[in-house]
Amino acid sequence: MTRPYDIATRHRAAGRIARAPDGAMAAGQADLTGTAPLLRVEGLTKRYGTRIGCADVGFDLWPGEVMGIVGESGSGKSTLLNCLAGHLPPDSGQVLFDTRTGGLKDTVTMSEPERRMLGRTDWAFVHQHARDGLRMNVSAGGNVGERLMAVGARHYGTIREAAIDWLGRVEIGADRVDDRPTAFSGGMQQRLQIARNLVTGPRLVFMDEPTGGLDVSVQARLLDLLRGLVREMGLSAIIVTHDLAVVRLLADRLMVMKDGHVVESGLTDQVLDDPQHAYTQLLVSSVLQV
Amino acid sequence: MTDQAYNFAYLDEQTKRMIRRAILKGVAIPGYQVPFASREMPMPYGWGTGGVQVSAATLTPEDTFKVIDQGADDTTNAVSIRKFFERTAGVATTEETARATVIQTRHRIPEEPLTEEQVLVYQVPIPEPLRFLEPSEIETRKMHALEEYGLMHVKLYEDIARHGQIATSYAYPVKVEGRYVMDPSPIPKFDNPKMSDNPAIQLFGAGREQRIYALPPYTQVVSLDFEDHPFDPSKADAPCDLCGAEDSYLDEVIIDDAGGRMFVCSDTDYCRARRASGHVGAKGVAEDAA
């Protein structure tokens, strides 16, 4: 059996330590001393009939913090992410999000319009396959502009400017603004998906295997870009992946899942360098060395 | 002569009752698509089965019925539907807009202003304005319910990005009373302003898609647009070659193999009435002589 973690205490320390050497993160650090977490998850459980999707997951995520969730296929990490993002209704538990107006609010019990509103303003969801997150028959500019129009932007010139600005930030040339994503490479599609998600300035980004299916050099550039954006915008993020290198690079904190349960969590470097749980040890030692 | 083998207006009374209920609901919630149990009609889908069912449920023995197809009273679709009701309902028919009490139309609104005494029945192929943007019916109904109409503007954005202007020229999406986004059926956008604040009852029937929706008299109907690209109800920039009308919607007709062409009113009754009262267009006399 796993020793239960006092996650709340542990990660708070983790956040401070992780930020301390990084001078550029002064703002994020100030947030960490704030009173409320951005996201508080308590006892989240999702079953598929008698099978467990994920069971009794709980953690706090603080503003500016990036958390990684790792585990093998079928460990429940995607189920967990979908429950957090409101795509799946959990069977029990709470997902409390620090809304701009009402403070901490349970997104599981909040009304659907409210939750969908969060989904296109304060939240962003980056799918593993860009095709799931993009409209493939709409131009790049339209894809980026959609969220703006969804929150009421009705000035073509302004929308287009914002779209071109965001394409630039994810290293897509302004001359590609009217091309459809079908004409883009896999890496570009993924970057377009990120631009489309970040254009409304979300505070929390959910990412499901953002680098899956990309070759390593494209992966590296994407990770670099993501790291820059997360730092620059002070984003909080939850990244689901099975790639330990990705979490090493991006995540401050790490949760390891196995069979629907969280078996270990803590500082990324700590967990990866000194894994305690047998499964984590297996996971870490299974990484191929180049 | 009424064909005694049929109930009045072809449909049985229970079916008409069901359709009238759908119509009443549609009138009560302007722009909302009411599902109804569409019947097989003795004509193929796409030939106005929805409009015919709405007309059948609307007609009374005292009504005078008019059918237009793209504005014309003498095309196949218009003639066959008019004959259908002459035979199954025995109602009086007319080609004069002013004399008709029920007008079934395919893709036009008559040029002559309608009155409170009249009902305009539209044939609708695809009632869902969001259909080509969002293929899932479950999702589009949710979007209507939650008033999430950002996607509609993505379509208009795409138009401007690709063509420099809103190139949608028919089935131009409208917003009804500030609430539901509605497909006006494939009428030219030139006709859109006529829908708003119209004294007549406007009913829409989609047979294959099994939807009925409605605009009660004097309903506000606004065509969607961008602040910097306002709605423009365009038409061919020419007068009618037969009657000289400058304010009517025109068809362009190729008249020989040498590229010769002429513009004529698409509303045949309007054109005839103008010529009868002495208006002559550039090619009007020659046409009449032939």
Side-chain angles (χ1 to χ4, degrees):
Chain A
M1 281 305 290
T2 329
R3 187 171 62 87
Y5 277 89
D6 178 4
I7 290 166
T9 337
R10 188 152 174 191
H11 85 77
R12 229 166 281 158
R16 290 218 181 84
I17 296 161
R19 298 296 177 185
D22 192 347
M25 277 312 294
Q29 209 166 11
D31 279 340
L32 286 170
T33 58
T35 47
L38 186 67
L39 187 75
R40 166 168 288 167
V41 180
E42 287 169 1
L44 198 72
T45 302
K46 172 75 186 171
R47 290 174 200 284
Y48 298 107
T50 54
R51 288 176 214 282
I52 293 172
C54 60
D56 201 26
V57 179
F59 62 90
D60 283 1
L61 185 76
W62 296 75
E65 194 180 25
V66 177
M67 194 172 78
I69 302 175
V70 295
E72 60 192 5
S73 301
S75 61
K77 51 194 197 309
S78 291
T79 297
L80 173 61
L81 193 74
N82 282 321
C83 285
L84 295 178
H87 297 171
L88 277 178
D91 293 322
S92 63
Q94 287 186 311
V95 180
L96 301 158
F97 180 74
D98 181 25
T99 56
R100 284 176 205 238
T101 47
L104 273 186
K105 241 181 151 180
D106 189 0
T107 62
V108 178
T109 53
M110 78 170 32
S111 69
E112 192 173 10
E114 268 185 292
R115 192 163 52 237
R116 285 172 69 113
M117 188 54 152
L118 273 184
R120 56 179 193 268
T121 53
D122 271 351
W123 289 358
F125 196 101
V126 177
H127 294 264
Q128 173 177 5
H129 301 291
R131 284 172 176 272
D132 297 338
L134 291 174
R135 290 190 192 278
M136 298 306 282
N137 53 0
V138 167
S139 71
N143 263 294
V144 178
E146 181 179 340
R147 272 170 81 111
L148 291 172
M149 292 181 245
V151 295
R154 291 289 179 267
H155 191 283
Y156 175 80
T158 322
I159 295 167
R160 198 170 168 82
E161 242 171 68
I164 289 173
D165 173 48
W166 265 98
L167 290 182
R169 288 209 225 178
V170 296
E171 299 164 22
I172 297 175
D175 57 325
R176 303 299 302 269
V177 66
D178 291 333
D179 291 350
R180 292 182 176 191
T182 40
F184 287 5
S185 69
M188 281 174 87
Q189 288 181 0
Q190 198 57 290
R191 278 180 276 144
L192 178 62
Q193 194 194 179
I194 289 163
R196 166 185 160 90
N197 270 288
L198 298 188
V199 65
T200 46
R203 292 186 294 153
L204 175 58
V205 187
F206 301 101
M207 294 190 222
D208 190 2
E209 307 270 12
T211 59
L214 301 176
D215 60 60
V216 283
S217 59
V218 176
Q219 257 190 38
R221 279 179 64 202
L222 186 73
L223 287 173
D224 203 37
L225 173 77
L226 273 177
R227 193 155 63 156
L229 287 172
V230 164
R231 292 281 145 95
E232 190 184 309
M233 299 175 71
L235 290 174
S236 299
I238 296 177
I239 300 176
V240 160
T241 181
H242 55 246
D243 189 338
L244 293 183
V246 169
V247 287
R248 171 88 81 175
L249 208 58
L250 284 179
D252 304 315
R253 240 174 358 115
L254 191 58
M255 245 166 53
V256 183
M257 291 190 72
K258 168 111 176 85
D259 298 334
H261 295 270
V262 176
V263 294
E264 184 163 357
S265 70
L267 277 176
T268 304
D269 291 345
Q270 184 187 350
V271 173
L272 293 183
D273 292 342
D274 182 19
Q276 301 292 314
H277 190 272
Y279 174 70
T280 317
Q281 291 170 354
L282 177 74
L283 201 65
V284 171
S285 61
S286 302
V287 175
L288 291 176
Q289 301 298 323
V290 182
Chain B
M1 284 294 270
T2 310
D3 193 325
Q4 292 302 315
Y6 294 111
N7 187 36
F8 177 75
Y10 186 76
L11 293 173
D12 62 277
E13 292 305 309
Q14 283 304 317
T15 298
K16 285 196 268 184
R17 192 177 147 105
M18 172 271 294
I19 294 171
R20 285 174 193 144
R21 282 184 170 176
I23 293 174
L24 283 176
K25 185 168 180 181
V27 170
I29 318 171
Y32 170 72
Q33 299 167 47
V34 186
F36 80 110
S38 177
R39 298 290 194 251
E40 293 257 351
M41 296 303 283
M43 60 180 69
Y45 289 130
W47 285 72
T49 52
V52 164
Q53 290 179 75
V54 171
S55 293
T58 309
L59 281 172
T60 64
E62 294 75 38
D63 272 318
T64 307
F65 191 53
K66 171 183 161 83
V67 191
I68 51 173
D69 170 8
Q70 304 273 17
D73 289 275
D74 52 4
T75 52
T76 314
N77 199 198
V79 171
S80 56
I81 291 174
R82 190 165 58 231
K83 287 228 167 106
F84 175 75
F85 281 114
E86 277 173 2
R87 186 168 158 204
T88 60
V91 290
T93 55
T94 181
E95 295 194 1
E96 284 175 50
T97 304
R99 283 189 52 222
T101 53
V102 176
I103 304 172
Q104 182 171 333
T105 175
R106 174 173 175 267
H107 308 181
R108 270 315 305 278
I109 297 175
E111 303 290 353
E112 197 172 323
L114 302 176
T115 66
E116 290 183 5
E117 313 301 320
Q118 293 176 311
V119 177
L120 187 59
V121 179
Y122 295 78
Q123 301 171 198
V124 183
I126 296 162
E128 179 51 74
L130 302 162
R131 176 57 68 240
F132 291 110
L133 302 156
E134 175 54 62
S136 157
E137 174 72 12
I138 293 174
E139 186 63 20
T140 52
R141 291 177 86 164
K142 208 172 264 183
M143 290 161 80
H144 281 294
L146 302 177
E147 245 182 300
E148 287 180 4
Y149 290 133
L151 199 51
M152 206 69 247
H153 274 84
V154 173
K155 181 183 185 308
L156 303 180
Y157 171 95
E158 287 292 287
D159 265 6
I160 303 172
R162 217 170 307 153
H163 307 290
Q165 57 177 333
I166 299 178
T168 304
S169 57
Y170 63 94
Y172 191 103
V174 295
K175 195 163 206 180
V176 178
E177 285 291 328
R179 177 60 181 83
Y180 282 98
V181 164
M182 184 187 94
D183 183 312
S185 85
I187 60 171
K189 65 178 171 183
F190 174 80
D191 281 344
N192 272 17
K194 293 187 210 160
M195 297 188 113
S196 189
D197 210 32
N198 197 316
I201 298 176
Q202 301 174 75
L203 306 176
F204 300 77
R208 180 186 51 213
E209 305 288 323
Q210 313 194 324
R211 294 289 184 277
I212 284 173
Y213 50 104
L215 297 172
Y218 305 108
T219 302
Q220 183 205 54
V221 179
V222 178
S223 304
L224 300 178
D225 59 3
F226 284 104
E227 287 157 18
D228 48 346
H229 286 267
F231 172 72
D232 173 30
S234 60
K235 67 182 264 295
D237 188 20
C240 171
D241 281 329
L242 294 181
C243 75
E246 307 215 352
D247 56 350
S248 75
Y249 191 73
L250 301 173
D251 285 339
E252 187 178 16
V253 184
I254 307 292
I255 49 176
D256 54 33
D257 289 343
R261 59 194 60 202
M262 65 191 290
F263 288 102
V264 295
C265 292
S266 101
D267 186 336
T268 51
D269 176 57
Y270 181 74
C271 199
R272 182 173 40 243
R274 274 179 59 86
R275 276 179 287 153
S277 60
H279 294 279
V280 179
K283 296 174 183 161
V285 179
E287 185 71 14
D288 281 346

